[in-house]
Amino acid sequence: MISLSEISFIVYDAVVYIMAAFVIFLIGKFIYQLLHPSFKVKEELVKKDNFAFAISHVGYYIGLLFSIGSAIVGPSNGLVNDVIDIAVYGLLAIVLLNISIFLSDYLILRKFSVRKEIIEDQNAGTGVVEGAVSVASGLIIFGAVSGESEGLLFGVLTAVVFWAFGQIALIVTTRIYNWITPYNLHEHIEKDNVAVGIGFAGAIIAIGNLIRFGLTGDFEGWLPSFAEAGFELIVGIILLPVMRLITDKILLPGERLTDEIINQEKPNVGAALIEAFAYIGGSVLITWCL
């Protein structure tokens, strides 16, 4: 039976962890604004009621939460060492997450200006994809940072290397997704087709979750780690067309997903949500079964 003093220590440690995480979260929020001086968060959310920015920004917060969580989960090494780990890995996660967003703007949504679409045009389709990239990147960082390694400096090195692998995998998979879809993603997202953005966002988060699963765990060597992460990536590449087929044949019987999303006057956002669920749900099932 746990004594009162042990409960007090547990509560005290939990409060310290929460406070440390909250400080890191505030730093992440400040860094985001610092890196985007051309607009004000409060103005976009409150004065302009910019829904596209709200989706994108909430996605950043979710990704930031996953990123910070990677520094908190796992066995304790003592309160002082844990706080140091949260500070070091939390700040590293903020840097990696913001680099991920930058890479997304130039390599995933590369055919138009993401800032213009979200800030000036208030394009919700672009906003949901940008938010999904943040969530997926947060999941990748969670997998890259979580786990035990020998020493803080080596832990930082492995985290950066695995994050880089995860980002490359995410970019490659999005190119494959664009290839398997019977329409041009960038063209329809730029035309404010929210349904296309939602389907694409589901695929991005699903792949991020699979990569996270492949990277999570204690460091046991470069080859075993990359082999497992590579296996999860291959599963994800196979998952995308299979889940799209399942959506067409089972979840939307009698209807063609492409017709619902792009071949009608008002794109069917509900059908796109089903498609996104199929991708994300499939990735969750796979991580449960492997």
Side-chain angles (χ1 to χ4, degrees), residues 19-38:
M19 291 178 62
F22 186 70
V23 170
I24 298 296
F25 191 90
L26 289 178
I27 293 173
K29 182 175 180 292
F30 172 77
I31 293 295
Y32 181 89
Q33 182 63 82
L34 189 66
L35 294 175
H36 300 85
S38 60

Side-chain angles (χ1 to χ4, degrees), residues 16 52 68 89 109 113 128 143 156 193 197 204 206 213 230 259 275 288:
V16 172
I68 295 171
Y89 287 112
L109 296 175
S113 169
V128 73
V156 170
N193 189 326
I204 290 172
F213 181 72
D259 290 338
E275 179 188 16
W288 285 349

Side-chain angles (χ1 to χ4, degrees), residues 18-201:
I18 291 172
M19 291 178 62
F22 186 70
V23 170
I24 298 296
F25 191 90
L26 289 178
I27 293 173
K29 182 175 180 292
F30 172 77
I31 293 295
Y32 181 89
Q33 182 63 82
L34 189 66
L35 294 175
H36 300 85
S38 60
F39 60 83
K40 301 297 181 183
V41 173
K42 183 177 179 180
E43 181 178 342
E44 295 297 327
L45 292 176
V46 179
K47 294 183 179 180
K48 294 184 178 180
D49 296 344
N50 189 338
F51 183 62
F53 178 79
I55 299 173
S56 171
H57 203 55
V58 168
Y60 174 76
Y61 283 156
I62 295 173
L64 185 59
L65 182 64
F66 283 133
S67 300
I68 295 171
S70 65
I72 299 175
V73 299
S76 174
N77 296 314
L79 182 59
V80 174
N81 289 330
D82 288 348
V83 171
I84 293 173
D85 284 348
I86 292 173
V88 172
Y89 287 112
L91 293 174
L92 174 65
I94 291 172
V95 173
L96 296 180
L97 179 60
N98 282 278
I99 294 176
S100 299
I101 296 173
F102 176 82
L103 291 175
S104 162
D105 290 352
Y106 287 93
L107 296 176
I108 295 180
L109 296 175
R110 63 194 184 280
K111 294 186 178 180
F112 52 77
S113 169
V114 173
R115 183 198 172 281
K116 176 181 178 296
E117 291 299 315
I118 293 178
I119 302 300
E120 297 179 18
D121 297 347
Q122 298 192 13
N123 184 337
T126 304
V128 73
V129 174
E130 182 87 340
V133 167
S134 294
V135 174
S137 297
L139 288 167
I140 291 171
I141 293 169
F142 186 95
V145 173
S146 62
E148 294 293 308
S149 58
E150 298 179 2
L152 184 61
L153 290 178
F154 187 71
V156 170
L157 173 63
T158 57
V160 172
V161 171
F162 289 144
W163 163 82
F165 172 85
Q167 284 301 127
I168 293 171
L170 184 65
I171 292 167
V172 169
T173 310
T174 57
R175 299 288 180 90
I176 294 173
Y177 177 83
N178 195 14
W179 176 67
I180 67 172
T181 50
Y183 48 84
N184 188 297
L185 287 172
H186 292 87
E187 177 185 343
H188 287 280
I189 291 174
E190 192 174 10
K191 290 179 180 179
D192 294 5
N193 189 326
V194 181
V196 170
I198 289 173
F200 190 25

Side-chain angles (χ1 to χ4, degrees), residues 74 164 290:
L290 291 179

